[in-house]
Amino acid sequence: MATQSQVSGGLSNELMQLEDQYGAHNYHPIPVVLSKGEGVYVWDVDGKRYYDFLSAYSAVNQGHCHPHIVDTLVNQARTLTLTSRAFYNDALGSYEKMVTGYFGFDKVLPMNTGAEAVETAIKLCRKWAYEKKGISENEATIIVCEGNFHGRTTTIVSFSSDPDAKSNFGPYTPGFVRIPYDDIDALKKALELPNIAGFLVEPIQGEAGVYVPDENFLTSAYELCKGKNVLFIADEVQTGIARTGSLLAMCGNCSCESKCERQNTYRKPDILILGKALSGGVYPVSAVLADDDIMMVIKPGQHGSTFGGNPIAAKVAVAALEVVENENLIGNARRLGKLFRSEMQRIIDKSDLIVKVRGKGLLNAIVVNGSPDSETAWNLCVKFMENGLLAKPTHGNIIRFAPPLVITEEQLLECVEIIEKTIQEYESNLSK
Ligand SMILES: *Cc1c(COP(=O)(O)O)cnc(C)c1O
């Protein structure tokens, strides 16, 4: 592993040591200290420029410091920041109208982080199960998947299958059963269990390593849930908002190039969870969307958040969604995603180091040759950094590649060159 002093200057070292000494050690960052971002680029404190191939876990789909979003944020911050929901504010209603129209739901419940939105969806599903489906008190069960990532709260980690996320954070919240991901027979069986209220699923598992399910999985799962009056809950915090080359990953191969026209393979989830790119990465904004028959089970005083639905968040989210449409991020992600995977496949065909590329739109991953606990993926990411591209290993020996969706073809091909060159250098060092 490269040491910090090998890869960055004195100021970087000082700043990394500060975080190391005074911050909790709940992350293991790549040794680069960033101080500026614009579009697909970020700069470190020494002024070196990098391509951002993580996009803050797909929060920065619209590119760093997008001027339309930042102007909106600054203007609203000078005007009114927070009222709490004890009062109405003049920004929330028009945001709610826009976001529900954009995604095709009757109602939205605004929150801040992704984990809060997932918690909201779980509460909504349970309450619906007791009040509408008639499940008896405290018996509601939600089906989840192996390898899931839905956030870090005590309830959410209770149904994680990742020992790091879960161990020694018990006692765990009951009411969940876990099935293998992308396993329609397992879902069929689980739906026969008593008191099933919902199925919570990521349409593509991002954190687990960008696992794309079989192309019929989501539609079949949806139909099975419908048949059992079980709510289909899509966690699109990472996959949503143009990342996978459609408005939502639930859209599958639907060919809408902008707002969803609900065709073909799209099955509208009963509950949709959004976060991350809903603000373009400038502010924590998340949302839970559902139609009235579900959302209206929550009455005044039964759920909320001091910051949820604040005027800055409302204005920022409108601006962020405008950018998605105005700059055709859906079409761009779809087109450049195909190009990126074919370029990665070309590299794989002549390399022993990388064995596979998978993904959809501009949410992709390469699988590095070697055991899941080897350091190769980490070491490669340090080399990518040295060559001007930032990415991070995800679970096992997998590197996720998710640039901002405003990337151009020319920029993408330059990144492919960096990746190819880095892999070649790495391989030739190995054989020395
Ligand atoms: C990031 C993520 C979350 C959690 O969002 P936070 O804002 O970090 O709480 C939930 N679900 C998925 C699929 C995510 O990728």
Side-chain angles (χ1 to χ4, degrees):
M1 197 182 298
T3 64
Q4 293 177 351
S5 59
Q6 279 175 295
V7 292
S8 32
L11 179 56
S12 295
N13 274 331
E14 233 174 83
L15 292 166
M16 288 188 284
Q17 273 160 20
L18 270 182
E19 285 197 27
D20 202 45
Q21 185 171 352
Y22 296 105
H25 289 190
N26 57 329
Y27 280 91
H28 180 37
I30 296 282
V32 61
V33 182
L34 302 174
S35 58
K36 188 179 131 173
E38 188 186 316
V40 296
Y41 301 116
V42 286
W43 285 261
D44 72 12
V45 289
D46 300 314
K48 180 177 168 182
R49 193 184 79 176
Y50 305 84
Y51 280 103
D52 180 359
F53 256 52
L54 183 64
S55 304
Y57 303 101
S58 297
V60 194
N61 286 2
Q62 296 85 338
H64 286 275
C65 299
H66 193 290
H68 178 54
I69 306 173
V70 170
D71 286 349
T72 304
L73 174 101
V74 169
N75 286 336
Q76 188 60 43
R78 289 187 198 286
T79 312
L80 181 67
T81 61
L82 183 63
T83 59
S84 87
R85 299 288 302 280
F87 313 109
Y88 288 87
N89 71 65
D90 71 350
L92 181 56
S94 42
Y95 161 57
E96 290 176 331
K97 181 175 181 206
M98 186 221 194
V99 74
T100 51
Y102 209 96
F103 294 97
F105 288 85
D106 293 340
K107 294 276 193 294
V108 61
L109 198 161
M111 297 295 281
N112 313 285
T113 65
E116 283 176 311
V118 172
E119 288 278 344
T120 301
I122 291 167
K123 288 172 72 176
L124 183 56
C125 177
R126 286 177 169 183
K127 206 158 195 302
W128 170 87
Y130 301 127
E131 295 175 11
K132 294 283 178 103
K133 188 170 175 173
I135 290 181
S136 43
E137 206 186 324
N138 292 329
E139 297 294 332
T141 301
I142 295 175
I143 302 169
V144 299
C145 295
E146 298 284 340
N148 71 72
F149 182 84
H150 298 286
R152 301 294 195 170
T153 64
T154 39
T155 287
I156 293 171
V157 302
S158 292
F159 57 80
S160 173
S161 54
D162 172 6
D164 279 338
K166 181 167 183 171
S167 296
N168 290 339
F169 292 121
Y172 301 116
T173 308
F176 300 92
V177 293
R178 213 162 56 219
I179 61 168
Y181 188 63
D182 192 18
D183 186 337
I184 205 72
D185 292 328
L187 178 63
K188 212 176 273 174
K189 256 191 218 151
L191 285 168
E192 297 298 330
L193 296 171
N195 304 316
I196 300 296
F199 175 46
L200 170 63
V201 64
E202 299 157 86
I204 292 173
Q205 285 191 330
E207 291 309 299
V210 188
Y211 287 100
V212 184
D214 182 88
E215 65 174 319
N216 298 317
F217 174 69
L218 295 169
T219 47
S220 307
Y222 177 91
E223 304 302 342
L224 285 177
C225 288
K226 284 305 93 183
K228 293 283 183 185
N229 194 23
V230 162
L231 299 186
F232 190 103
I233 309 168
D235 180 348
E236 295 239 24
V237 171
Q238 186 162 158
T239 53
I241 316 185
R243 172 53 60 187
T244 65
S246 41
L247 182 61
L248 299 173
M250 282 301 293
C251 297
N253 297 317
C254 178
S255 57
C256 307
E257 283 280 301
S258 67
K259 281 206 279 187
C260 190
E261 287 151 25
R262 274 174 287 295
Q263 299 169 340
N264 301 338
T265 49
Y266 180 63
R267 297 291 182 279
K268 179 177 145 183
D270 299 297
I271 303 178
L272 173 66
I273 307 167
L274 299 174
K276 294 194 169 116
L278 189 51
S279 72
V282 309
Y283 200 81
V285 184
S286 66
V288 174
L289 291 127
D291 283 340
D292 282 340
D293 57 323
I294 297 167
M295 192 68 94
M296 294 306 274
V297 302
I298 292 188
K299 304 280 189 307
Q302 297 176 347
H303 188 61
S305 157
T306 302
F307 280 83
N310 73 72
I312 296 181
K315 286 280 175 81
V316 158
V318 169
L321 292 173
E322 283 169 351
V323 170
V324 170
E325 183 143 21
N326 294 343
E327 303 189 16
N328 187 23
L329 299 190
I330 293 172
N332 204 48
R334 182 181 298 230
R335 186 174 66 87
L336 294 185
K338 280 186 192 135
L339 176 64
F340 183 73
R341 283 186 298 282
S342 77
E343 286 295 304
M344 287 303 106
Q345 192 55 51
R346 182 179 60 72
I347 296 171
I348 290 166
D349 289 342
K350 52 180 192 171
S351 157
D352 295 326
L353 194 59
I354 312 298
V355 294
K356 195 176 182 153
V357 60
R358 62 172 171 246
K360 223 166 165 212
L362 283 173
L363 180 61
N364 295 291
I366 55 170
V367 181
V368 176
N369 203 352
S371 76
D373 49 333
S374 94
E375 294 276 330
T376 314
W378 174 270
N379 292 336
L380 255 178
C381 285
V382 172
K383 295 291 173 199
F384 288 141
M385 176 195 78
E386 289 170 5
N387 289 334
L389 184 144
L390 298 180
K392 181 120 201 269
T394 179
H395 280 90
N397 234 339
I398 298 164
I399 300 172
R400 173 174 30 199
F401 286 135
L405 308 182
V406 293
I407 195 166
T408 65
E409 181 170 335
E410 198 186 351
Q411 290 167 334
L412 188 86
L413 290 175
E414 196 184 326
C415 294
V416 169
E417 249 174 62
I418 295 174
I419 293 166
E420 184 168 17
K421 185 181 112 192
T422 308
I423 289 170
Q424 280 168 355
E425 285 171 2
Y426 198 95
E427 287 189 306
S428 68
N429 280 339
L430 283 183
S431 57
K432 268 180 202 158

